[in-house]
Amino acid sequence: MEKFPYIEIEGTSYEIGFQEGKSFGKQIQNSMECYKQMFMDYSQLEWTRAKELSRRFIPIIKEYNADYLEEIRGIAEGSGFDFEDILALNCRSELVFVGKEFDKADGACTSIGISSEAGKNGDAFLGHNWDWKTSQRSSMVMMRIRQKNGKPTIFMVTEAGIIGKTGFNSAGLGLYLNALSTNEAAKGLPLHIAMRGILDSETLAEAVGAAVRMPLGCCANFMLGHKNGECIDLEIENEDFDVLYPKDGIIVHTNHFISPRFPLTPRKDTMKYKTPDTFVRLGRADKLLRKKGKEIDEKDIQAVLADHVEYPSGICRHDDPKVPEGLRMGTVFSMVVNLTQGDIWFCKGNPCECEYERYSIAE
């Protein structure tokens, strides 16, 4: 499988964006084509209208962090696309379901947190499979971003043109996302902008604050871990959030609300109806990890992420030919981070088929 392109960039927010746009024009075009089609398939939303609607998010992004608008502007000018093209990509989770359905905009993923209590040699780990449209592999890019604004260096894997996604930073903070949804539309800050705010954080507490400082435009779950040995899981619904802590050093999350403290009524969890495999993936990953119990390392996590029970909709997900093509999902990439040591193992595609490659936040 062709590798995701990787670059190292440095500068101000605008300069970082410009370098990304200049380097990844082809991948940005691929991302735009994916979401043009998806907007139509799910909401009958034309791209021109999506660009217009994206401007509604400018004030809230500016209030959250005006630097992020500068980075978006840089990507646009570096790639030659309109500012609103790149803005729409960064608001795509909020725009995809402008009509009837909400929040199924980031697939059906499995995330794992291993605190120092259960990690080998006292190390802490995060692991994740990002399941989405496998066609988006042609849009994925990897970047090491050195920022001049005093923020941490970020190793990020993202859809080209989107400034916040899965990643790990030089402060030792790691981030993964699981999609959640309720039967009520949320209104607020675009999800991927909040993810960049999390990656610009240095502590778990700061990351939680960055995630919940403003209402989000859709529900979300963030698996967070830190080199200090701790992992937490943050569930966010329309009007509230909760933080979950590992049990015996292990925590797993998939695509349904699991906090016992969420009285969602009158709202209800709708993602579990859309992705009923979420329950088996959660139980299976948790069982396999607890069977190991202690001294869990990256190889153990990689083995769980390659698990095929309930194939093709298991933890390692494959396109199901019985599902209409526009609704198929598979594992786009898999990633395991040793938070303590700063090592990143990255697999471009299904972990049952592709080798993990090592990167380091310090290199």
Side-chain angles (χ1 to χ4, degrees):
M1 181 177 295
E2 186 177 348
K3 295 181 178 181
F4 298 166
Y6 169 78
I7 60 170
E8 298 189 4
I9 52 183
E10 182 176 0
T12 64
S13 297
Y14 175 83
E15 291 167 346
I16 287 167
F18 189 89
Q19 292 171 69
E20 180 184 347
K22 188 174 181 180
S23 300
F24 296 137
K26 177 183 175 183
Q27 289 78 16
I28 292 171
Q29 178 69 54
N30 291 341
S31 261
M32 288 171 55
E33 292 303 321
C34 172
Y35 291 110
K36 282 180 184 179
Q37 186 61 51
M38 188 173 174
F39 288 179
M40 286 299 297
D41 287 346
Y42 282 82
S43 296
Q44 291 298 299
L45 178 66
E46 299 225 353
W47 186 254
T48 302
R49 178 60 176 154
K51 290 168 63 173
E52 292 174 1
L53 291 171
S54 71
R55 296 195 64 84
R56 298 180 181 180
F57 294 96
I58 291 176
I60 194 168
I61 297 172
K62 185 175 183 180
E63 182 182 350
Y64 186 76
N65 191 326
D67 287 346
Y68 297 159
L69 288 174
E70 282 298 292
E71 189 165 332
I72 290 169
R73 184 170 67 87
I75 294 171
E77 295 186 6
S79 63
F81 293 109
D82 292 342
F83 172 80
E84 290 82 4
D85 285 322
I86 308 304
L87 184 62
L89 284 178
N90 280 274
C91 304
R92 58 93 163 159
S93 294
E94 292 69 30
L95 291 172
V96 167
F97 302 107
V98 165
K100 315 157 187 167
E101 251 184 294
F102 302 98
D103 301 333
K104 194 179 173 186
D106 277 279
C109 311
T110 302
S111 296
I112 293 167
I114 305 295
S115 72
S116 57
E117 181 181 358
K120 186 174 182 178
N121 300 323
D123 289 352
F125 298 83
L126 288 186
H128 180 75
N129 279 356
W130 187 52
D131 303 336
W132 190 222
K133 297 180 180 297
T134 53
S135 61
Q136 273 300 81
R137 289 173 183 158
S138 66
S139 306
M140 301 306 297
V141 299
M142 305 166 68
M143 297 181 287
R144 185 189 310 278
I145 304 170
R146 295 184 175 91
Q147 306 182 88
K148 287 185 176 178
N149 56 6
K151 296 294 185 182
T153 294
I154 299 170
F155 179 96
M156 183 164 61
V157 184
T158 187
E159 299 164 280
I162 295 179
I163 69 168
K165 199 72 173 179
T166 296
F168 179 51
N169 72 23
S170 58
L173 181 79
L175 164 67
Y176 296 136
L177 166 71
N178 299 79
L180 295 174
S181 68
T182 69
N183 59 331
E184 289 186 15
K187 295 180 181 179
L189 183 73
L191 168 69
H192 290 91
I193 301 299
M195 292 183 76
R196 179 54 175 273
I198 293 170
L199 286 174
D200 278 343
S201 302
E202 297 190 0
T203 66
L204 290 171
E206 187 181 348
V208 173
V212 303
R213 179 161 59 88
M214 301 177 75
L216 292 187
C218 56
C219 303
N221 182 80
F222 299 124
M223 181 72 73
L224 302 167
H226 199 277
K227 68 179 181 181
N228 63 16
E230 299 298 335
C231 297
I232 59 173
D233 188 84
L234 172 61
E235 287 188 351
I236 303 175
E237 62 109 44
N238 301 64
E239 296 181 2
D240 204 356
F241 73 93
D242 195 17
V243 176
L244 306 172
Y245 203 69
K247 181 180 179 182
D248 300 322
I250 297 169
I251 188 165
V252 177
H253 207 287
T254 51
N255 299 100
H256 60 284
F257 287 94
I258 61 176
S259 169
R261 294 183 287 275
F262 262 147
L264 290 174
T265 306
R267 289 179 293 279
K268 70 176 184 177
D269 182 343
T270 53
M271 194 71 177
K272 64 185 180 184
Y273 294 93
K274 301 169 187 174
T275 56
D277 52 85
T278 179
F279 300 101
V280 179
R281 288 185 288 113
L282 179 74
R284 178 74 179 164
D286 188 73
K287 179 174 72 172
L288 292 174
L289 291 164
R290 293 191 188 283
K291 190 178 293 185
K292 174 71 176 179
K294 301 288 184 181
E295 296 296 304
I296 295 170
D297 63 13
E298 71 278 0
K299 295 293 184 184
D300 298 314
I301 299 171
Q302 290 168 12
V304 173
L305 294 173
D307 188 72
H308 277 157
V309 166
E310 291 284 291
Y311 180 92
S313 298
I315 296 170
C316 181
R317 182 183 293 269
H318 293 256
D319 284 336
D320 186 349
K322 294 182 293 185
V323 174
E325 188 171 352
L327 300 178
R328 292 177 192 171
M329 287 191 296
T331 297
V332 177
F333 69 80
S334 182
M335 182 172 168
V336 179
V337 176
N338 182 321
L339 300 159
T340 308
Q341 304 299 329
D343 292 324
I344 302 155
W345 287 273
F346 189 80
C347 171
K348 306 167 183 70
N350 288 87
C352 67
E353 299 173 343
C354 307
E355 295 291 326
Y356 285 86
E357 298 176 346
R358 181 188 169 277
Y359 297 82
S360 173
I361 192 65
E363 290 173 356

